[in-house]
Amino acid sequence: MASAEDEAGDDERWLVIDGRRWRRTDPALPEDLAARLRSHLGRARSAVRVAKKGDDDEAVAAARRRVGVAKHGLGERGPRWWDDEVGARIGRARAALEELDRLAPPERADGAADVNT
């Protein structure tokens, strides 16, 4: 269970857009970790669009899986981040990032996959 100092109010937990409530990213995640997960999320969403246009059901499923892993890592899906200790939350985010790096290695500035990050 989270300690009193880790507890967040509803405004920190949820974002409301057009009357629909969306879970916010875990605010305890280090910015560099959250940024890398957001990068994977954006690339995965793009991969979903490309795969849909190409009518490639397998690629759509693989890209959607990456979206889900990224959102779990950010705390936007899965266990409610405010119910767990910060260390467990960061551990989940790091595990998600490791999985995403295996599934879709980040690209280097020259466009090649960087498998050493």
Side-chain angles (χ1 to χ4, degrees):
M1 192 60 109
S3 68
E5 69 182 14
D6 293 330
E7 293 208 13
D10 276 350
D11 287 348
E12 294 173 325
R13 295 176 182 168
W14 304 102
L15 174 68
V16 179
I17 300 174
D18 294 330
R20 187 164 180 187
R21 194 168 74 158
W22 300 90
R23 193 184 309 176
R24 289 184 184 270
T25 296
D26 182 349
L29 298 180
E31 182 52 37
D32 61 323
L33 179 58
R36 289 183 63 197
L37 286 165
R38 283 191 300 271
S39 175
H40 272 288
L41 178 59
R43 289 188 292 125
R45 285 178 168 161
S46 177
V48 169
R49 282 189 299 276
V50 169
K52 279 182 166 184
K53 285 181 183 177
D55 225 10
D56 186 343
D57 293 339
E58 271 187 44
V60 170
R64 283 184 174 157
R65 167 136 174 69
R66 289 171 39 212
V67 168
V69 171
K71 290 186 83 54
H72 274 84
L74 288 164
E76 296 174 10
R77 288 189 187 157
R80 297 180 303 188
W81 51 260
W82 54 89
D83 287 340
D84 290 328
E85 295 291 333
V86 171
R89 293 155 38 190
I90 292 172
R92 268 196 306 271
R94 286 190 175 128
L97 183 59
E98 287 174 13
E99 183 176 352
L100 289 163
D101 283 346
R102 277 193 314 275
L103 294 171
E107 292 184 5
R108 299 186 318 215
D110 62 5
D114 187 356
V115 296
N116 296 315
T117 59

